[in-house]
Amino acid sequence: MVRRVAVVGAGVSGLAAIKCCLEEGLEPTCFEQSEDVGGLWRYTVSEEGRASIYRTVFTNTSKEMMCYSDFPIPDDHPNYMHNARLQHYICKYAEHFDLLRHIRFKTLVTKVKKRPDFSVMGQWEVVTQRDGKEETAVFDAVMVCSGHHVYPNLPLDDFPGIHKFKGCYFHSREYKEPEKFRGKKVLVIGLGNSGSDIAVELSAVASQVYLSSRSGSWVMSRVWDNGYPWDMLVITRFRTWLGNILPRAISDWLYVRGMNRFFKHENFGLMPLNRTSRKEPVFNDDLPSRIACGVVVIKPNVKEFRETSVLFQDGTVQDDVDAVVFATGYSYAYPFMEDDSIIKSRDNQVTLYKGILPPRLEKPTMAVIGLVQSLGPIIPTADLQCRWAIKVFQGQCTLPPVSEMMDDIDEKMGKKLKWYGNSTTLQTDYITYMDELASAIGVKPNVLKLLLTDPRLALEVFFGPCSPYQFRLMGPGKWSGARKAILTQWDRTLRATQTRITPAVPTTFPCLAMLGVLFLLLLLLAALYC
């Protein structure tokens, strides 16, 4: 029986793991190398071995979609939060559920290895270090919640001449503030969320910013139709259902049309090479206007660096470049794992059943939380992953044979290549993935049943945003406030922006305007028949 669980990391995934363990009567011990919770969202000057963000980072997902499933973000918080606001919410979550007493801060996990009798007992030996002292403890299960924004991917070998370049260059992980680049020419390499954010921020102080992209990307605004958050309109069960039943050609056409709804990407040099790939788009409200104003210039991939200039793949040369920011992402690494092949079991690639469980373990007592990426929020994803993993630990969620788990991984990999292209990330469709986990543990909302018993709620669940509360409506871990949270989510969204009372806009078409239209129609008919 699994009783003692080691949790590595006290970020948003680690806190979810602690809470889920407590709900199921387990005894979690969380090891966090820093002095506080929050992980990536706790802004500090860069610390070795932990995730790092820049001072002005805001969330790309709205508060109603990204909260923990039984702990809504307060009404007075904005729909998109600055990292300090989100960090405050994370701390409140930890306090509300009394999670802090289960965390050992300033404690580094240096080794996780199987016990000699692992094939029988499934136990792990966890070695930690604090204040120079080493300690070893035995746990029945391990939940790896260390994230994937820790180890920068800096592919300097892919950029000939970089070592001859006389300006400064560094990974975006080291970027904190724009002021030291005032009046300089800066090249940002990588058209992702970090690269776009940094380019836009630098454009306010730099003399010129160049944003280099190898393959382009769709760029989306946080604010969509009628001013509502994009994810509350896009991430719905109805849209997912429609996308699954439509022919691929129609689905692709609708997708491209939707992405071009605010501006034509090819006119801004942003059009992705694979237009129909569902790879996560860039979220940036200001990039198109910065390009239109000329303060950010989109460039193709770099061909070669010279001492003070850069040659691009299209043959153009940019002189007098002062600094280069490599926004080239991160790589997965688990330095504390004695046997790294447990997680990276095939071709040095992360190989996990349901994106969580190493499939070849003799006993399923390890879970990797928070690696899956989708066009959806990480907090509810990690929360549901933890709930699923603990049911597996307890034997309440039966696993198929190893061969079937590997087949499932291969099938998911094929779908990933088809829809998201070739990447190292574990990308998937948000609602499809969440429903798959929820079905396995009995917490997926039954829309047909709700239609008979609670039609109003059923319509909101199916046509409205797939908010985290949906996975607390029924089954294990049911939350009594879930229904109310779903039915009032639009009210909380508007409360954050309706900070000035304005006259109500008439919802009915004015009578005079209607008469005017009829009069014009009569004139048109008269002209045709005369």
Side-chain angles (χ1 to χ4, degrees):
M1 287 289 294
V2 169
R3 185 171 59 87
R4 301 187 67 228
V5 180
V7 179
V8 183
V12 295
S13 299
L15 294 178
I18 299 169
K19 177 177 174 288
C20 290
C21 284
L22 294 173
E23 285 178 337
E24 296 296 329
L26 306 182
E27 299 175 10
T29 301
C30 179
F31 302 102
E32 168 57 45
Q33 73 175 84
S34 72
E35 60 188 19
D36 202 356
V37 299
L40 173 71
W41 292 102
R42 188 175 72 87
Y43 173 80
T44 61
V45 177
S46 296
E47 295 178 19
E48 190 64 32
R50 69 175 299 270
S52 179
I53 55 174
Y54 36 99
R55 188 182 296 277
T56 55
V57 167
F58 282 78
T59 62
N60 290 330
T61 50
S62 63
K63 67 177 183 180
E64 291 300 317
M65 298 295 284
M66 72 172 298
C67 63
Y68 287 102
S69 56
D70 55 356
F71 193 71
I73 292 172
D75 294 10
D76 61 351
H77 282 43
N79 289 320
Y80 295 101
M81 293 184 291
H82 183 261
N83 62 81
R85 276 282 183 93
L86 181 55
Q87 172 67 6
H88 177 74
Y89 165 75
I90 293 167
C91 291
K92 287 296 181 185
Y93 175 81
E95 292 171 10
H96 180 79
F97 291 106
D98 196 19
L99 307 181
L100 297 176
R101 64 191 178 93
H102 300 279
I103 304 173
R104 297 184 186 178
F105 292 107
K106 297 183 180 179
T107 303
L108 175 67
V109 175
T110 58
K111 187 179 293 185
V112 174
K113 64 178 181 178
K114 295 178 181 178
R115 294 272 290 164
D117 59 352
F118 182 85
S119 60
V120 177
M121 302 298 293
Q123 291 181 319
W124 300 85
E125 195 171 282
V126 177
V127 182
T128 58
Q129 193 174 74
R130 176 184 167 88
D131 298 330
K133 297 179 181 179
E134 194 171 88
E135 183 179 328
T136 301
V138 175
F139 291 90
D140 301 314
V142 175
M143 301 182 79
V144 179
C145 305
S146 53
H148 55 91
H149 292 96
V150 177
Y151 303 99
N153 175 40
L154 193 58
L156 297 182
D157 292 341
D158 295 340
F159 295 91
I162 185 63
H163 298 295
K164 294 188 295 184
F165 180 64
K166 290 187 175 180
C168 68
Y169 59 89
F170 56 93
H171 191 271
S172 57
R173 183 180 186 274
E174 305 303 318
Y175 175 85
K176 295 298 174 184
E177 296 175 333
E179 190 56 39
K180 68 178 181 180
F181 300 97
R182 181 172 292 277
K184 296 183 178 181
K185 290 183 178 180
V186 184
L187 169 64
V188 180
I189 296 177
L191 182 57
N193 286 313
S194 295
S196 300
D197 281 353
I198 292 170
V200 165
E201 184 168 273
L202 287 173
S203 69
V205 298
S207 63
Q208 185 64 64
V209 176
Y210 303 94
L211 181 55
S212 169
S213 174
R214 181 176 54 190
S215 56
S217 178
W218 295 115
V219 177
M220 288 175 61
S221 171
R222 293 177 175 89
V223 182
W224 265 46
D225 298 346
N226 299 316
Y228 290 114
W230 74 268
D231 47 1
M232 295 186 74
L233 300 176
V234 172
I235 303 177
T236 70
R237 293 184 178 279
F238 172 71
R239 288 180 69 115
T240 299
W241 171 79
L242 195 63
N244 289 334
I245 65 168
L246 287 176
R248 176 70 190 263
I250 296 176
S251 176
D252 287 347
W253 179 80
L254 288 172
Y255 179 75
V256 173
R257 184 173 178 270
M259 286 297 182
N260 272 325
R261 66 188 300 165
F262 294 115
F263 68 95
K264 199 172 182 179
H265 281 64
E266 61 185 288
N267 292 348
F268 286 72
L270 295 168
M271 177 69 78
L273 293 178
N274 184 357
R275 302 179 349 148
T276 60
S277 170
R278 295 334 192 245
K279 183 180 177 183
E280 184 181 2
V282 168
F283 290 93
N284 197 292
D285 306 288
D286 302 315
L287 182 60
S289 66
R290 297 287 82 195
I291 295 171
C293 292
V295 291
V296 174
V297 175
I298 302 296
K299 302 294 289 183
N301 198 29
V302 172
K303 184 176 182 179
E304 181 187 7
F305 280 96
R306 296 165 182 173
E307 288 188 350
T308 59
S309 62
V310 181
L311 171 65
F312 295 97
Q313 291 286 0
D314 61 357
T316 59
V317 177
Q318 182 54 53
D319 296 318
D320 304 320
V321 175
D322 299 297
V324 179
V325 183
F326 284 91
T328 45
Y330 294 82
S331 57
Y332 302 121
Y334 305 94
F336 50 82
M337 291 295 297
E338 185 181 61
D339 183 1
D340 197 32
S341 67
I342 292 174
I343 296 175
K344 297 182 177 182
S345 63
R346 189 167 57 184
D347 301 327
N348 202 36
Q349 297 294 314
V350 172
T351 310
L352 300 169
Y353 179 62
K354 305 297 185 189
I356 304 171
L357 192 78
R360 299 188 187 277
L361 285 176
E362 302 96 315
K363 296 288 183 180
T365 56
M366 173 174 280
V368 182
I369 306 298
L371 278 193
V372 168
Q373 289 183 267
S374 67
L375 192 64
I378 182 58
I379 290 179
T381 303
D383 184 37
L384 195 53
Q385 285 182 325
C386 291
R387 294 167 71 186
W388 180 87
I390 288 169
K391 292 296 184 185
V392 171
F393 292 166
Q394 295 180 316
Q396 297 175 21
C397 183
T398 307
L399 297 174
V402 173
S403 60
E404 290 184 24
M405 287 195 280
M406 294 304 297
D407 288 343
D408 184 79
I409 291 169
D410 290 338
E411 181 185 347
K412 298 290 196 309
M413 186 63 69
K415 288 181 179 178
K416 191 197 87 167
L417 290 172
K418 176 183 176 182
W419 290 102
Y420 305 100
N422 189 17
S423 70
T424 56
T425 57
L426 302 179
Q427 290 195 306
T428 186
D429 176 75
Y430 177 70
I431 293 180
T432 303
Y433 179 70
M434 295 288 278
D435 278 353
E436 189 175 333
L437 295 181
S439 295
I441 60 174
V443 299
K444 178 186 174 183
N446 188 328
V447 179
L448 291 178
K449 183 179 179 181
L450 286 175
L451 196 60
L452 296 174
T453 59
D454 195 339
R456 182 187 173 200
L457 179 61
L459 292 175
E460 188 64 27
V461 166
F462 188 70
F463 291 103
C466 185
S467 47
Y469 322 118
Q470 292 193 11
F471 302 100
R472 293 282 180 178
L473 282 171
M474 53 190 63
K478 179 181 177 180
W479 174 46
S480 60
R483 181 183 187 275
K484 182 180 178 182
I486 292 170
L487 295 178
T488 57
Q489 57 196 354
W490 291 107
D491 298 332
R492 288 190 300 278
T493 300
L494 291 176
R495 201 167 293 133
T497 55
Q498 288 182 335
T499 53
R500 182 177 74 90
I501 299 174
T502 58
V505 177
T507 55
T508 56
F509 201 62
C511 294
L512 288 176
M514 180 74 77
L515 290 172
V517 171
L518 290 173
F519 180 70
L520 289 173
L521 287 173
L522 289 172
L523 282 179
L524 182 61
L525 288 171
L528 289 173
Y529 287 100
C530 288

